[in-house]
Amino acid sequence: MTARRKRNTKWISWIVIAVLLIAAGVVCYLVWDNYFNDKKDEPVKEETSQEEEKDEVVEEKTEEEVVEKEEVVQYEGEDPNTAESLTGVITYMSLVSTDFVIRVNIDQYLDNGTCVLTLSRDGGVVYTGEANIINAVSTSTCEGFNVPADIIGSGNINISIQLSSGGKTGVISGETAL
């Protein structure tokens, strides 16, 4: 009896697994690469097609009469910067800790000027203060007023803010109860 030689098939299975992993890696790389190449190419394709469409539209317009567009009015009403007087609104007034805080928004764009605050009760002036006007993006504001609450006391308070800048003046007024 001859001894049968037993073949070791482990190395064949390892080679098959390695080949399958390599093939899977190559497939994943190709799919991944094609996916992102398609994403990169799409905007370029759209831009070229839009450019071609624009060229066609321009060619059509040159053949036809050029029609002027009407001016688009973005906002209703007059431009507040051309108004003869300064206008605005009290945007915040509240008792914060020990101070009565007042904030104002001015409708016009101003580079400089002053805001004079007058607080009164029953016709008598309780407090007067002044702040500078500072500009914002399209409007302006007073630097703000922080009035010690113990000076004002309690009750109904009339608020008057005199605005002055560049030869223009205006008054913002309000009322509150403390």
Side-chain angles (χ1 to χ4, degrees):
M1 282 189 79
T2 62
R4 271 184 150 194
R5 189 169 189 196
K6 193 175 186 183
R7 289 189 171 181
N8 192 355
T9 57
K10 280 187 177 182
W11 66 275
I12 294 175
S13 61
W14 282 110
I15 290 176
V16 170
I17 291 173
V19 168
L20 289 175
L21 285 174
I22 292 171
V26 169
V27 169
C28 287
Y29 172 76
L30 293 175
V31 169
W32 182 273
D33 189 47
N34 285 336
Y35 177 77
F36 283 110
N37 279 341
D38 290 344
K39 293 289 184 182
K40 291 178 186 174
D41 292 342
E42 284 180 13
V44 173
K45 290 179 183 176
E46 288 179 13
E47 289 176 8
T48 56
S49 65
Q50 288 175 354
E51 289 175 5
E52 291 172 1
E53 291 174 6
K54 288 179 185 177
D55 291 341
E56 291 174 7
V57 171
V58 170
E59 288 174 8
E60 290 176 7
K61 284 187 180 180
T62 55
E63 293 173 4
E64 298 176 6
E65 290 183 23
V66 177
V67 179
E68 292 184 28
K69 293 184 179 179
E70 294 180 25
E71 185 175 324
V72 177
V73 178
Q74 292 183 352
Y75 305 104
E76 294 182 10
E78 296 179 15
D79 182 11
N81 290 320
T82 60
E84 294 179 16
S85 64
L86 301 176
T87 58
V89 65
I90 298 173
T91 56
Y92 182 80
M93 61 180 156
S94 179
L95 192 59
V96 177
S97 186
T98 60
D99 290 342
F100 180 56
V101 177
I102 301 172
R103 299 294 183 257
V104 177
N105 188 35
I106 303 169
D107 296 333
Q108 290 82 9
Y109 179 83
L110 306 169
D111 286 327
N112 57 21
T114 58
C115 303
V116 178
L117 170 69
T118 303
L119 300 178
S120 60
R121 178 184 300 117
D122 299 327
V125 175
V126 177
Y127 177 83
T128 301
E130 186 174 319
N132 292 322
I133 291 177
I134 54 175
N135 55 18
V137 175
S138 62
T139 61
S140 301
T141 185
C142 297
E143 284 182 337
F145 299 99
N146 293 350
V147 181
D150 57 346
I151 294 175
I152 302 170
S154 61
N156 288 336
I157 301 290
N158 293 320
I159 302 167
S160 175
I161 301 171
Q162 297 281 333
L163 306 173
S164 175
S165 176
K168 293 183 179 181
T169 61
V171 178
I172 300 173
S173 57
E175 185 176 334
T176 189
L178 294 177

